[in-house]
Amino acid sequence: MATVELTFSALPAHVRTARLVATAIARRTGVAEAILDEVRLAVGEACSRAVEAHRLHCPSEPVRIELRDDAGRFEVTVSDAAPSEEPKPYVLETDGAFEPDEMADLGVAVIAGLADDVEVVPGPKGMRIRMSWPASANGLAAI
Amino acid sequence: MDLKLDHHSEDSLTIVDVEGEIDVYTAPRLRELLIDLVNKGNFHLLVNMEKVDFLDSTGLGVLVGGLKRVRAHDGSLELVCTQERILKIFRITGLTKVFGIYASVEEAKEAHGRDK
């Protein structure tokens, strides 16, 4: 099991860096090229949510990401230190007359739509979002 | 890649060309542009996303905010987008039902002309 850990200051500019790092390690771990865009978007969503939560509650605390190659899965865990509650379900009316107000929870809805294995654990000391995708057993994807 | 924004008017339609990545860092610039356009009386907006490399929920939020603003003036905000990677996030969130999404600027202009 190989693990990369990354912490970054809760600044929007660093979210792109986190996306790029996660995508590079996903490719190295053997995630298929066809789903690298999903990894990039899901990790970006989790990091954006964490950065916004830190800016509200604890701007000096860093956001933490763990990227793990675990038995044929590429697993990413994004942890923040801002108190959080269970995300409100995102529901969109189908008549087009309603547009969502709570865009904060939209990020979690997007992650759920992208990763085939997602766990969102809110808590008073922060939220942890763990997500994973299939990777090649040998670690490096065929190019 | 950073975000590049440009806009021009064709008849009653204002076309906003967006290039690059729309995320939590860059989305405020797009929000400011849309607010500025609406404040200056541009209520029919067409956002051309053909050169957008990345869009996240922050960007979606900005587009939804823009839509609310123009609708308050009986206006419209529609999109040009054919990239599957960008369309996917609209489908996941159901926002394909909220935005008019066209395959080209010309197609969107024709539809806008019919609706006038």
Side-chain angles (χ1 to χ4, degrees), chain A residues 12-13 15-16 19 37-38 40-41 45 48 52 90 92 96 99-101 103 106-107 109-110 113-114, chain B residues 1 21 23-25 53-57 60-61 64 67-68 71 85 88-89 92-95 97-98:
Chain A
V15 171
R16 181 172 187 265
R19 286 200 307 265
D37 273 338
E38 297 180 9
R40 183 166 73 132
L41 181 52
E45 291 290 354
S48 296
E52 292 297 334
Y90 167 74
L92 184 68
E99 301 95 38
D101 282 317
M103 301 309 288
L106 188 54
V110 170
L114 290 171
Chain B
M1 188 181 195
E21 299 186 340
D23 69 359
V24 67
Y25 180 55
D53 298 316
F54 181 85
L55 172 74
D56 70 6
S57 64
L60 288 181
V64 169
L67 182 63
K68 285 182 173 178
R71 278 189 177 174
R85 68 163 81 169
K88 185 168 188 172
I89 188 169
I92 288 171
T93 53
L95 289 173
K97 300 185 183 95
V98 173

Side-chain angles (χ1 to χ4, degrees), chain A residues 58-118:
Chain A
C58 49
S60 62
E61 292 288 323
V63 174
R64 177 187 175 90
I65 313 178
E66 292 175 57
L67 307 119
R68 190 174 299 115
D69 171 10
D70 192 1
R73 304 281 302 176
F74 174 63
E75 185 178 287
V76 181
T77 305
V78 178
S79 307
D80 67 60
S84 58
E85 297 175 352
E86 195 73 35
K88 282 178 260 179
Y90 167 74
V91 179
L92 184 68
E93 300 296 330
T94 55
D95 62 3
F98 166 80
E99 301 95 38
D101 282 317
E102 297 293 335
M103 301 309 288
D105 293 344
L106 188 54
V108 175
V110 170
I111 293 168
L114 290 171
D116 55 17
D117 172 38
V118 182

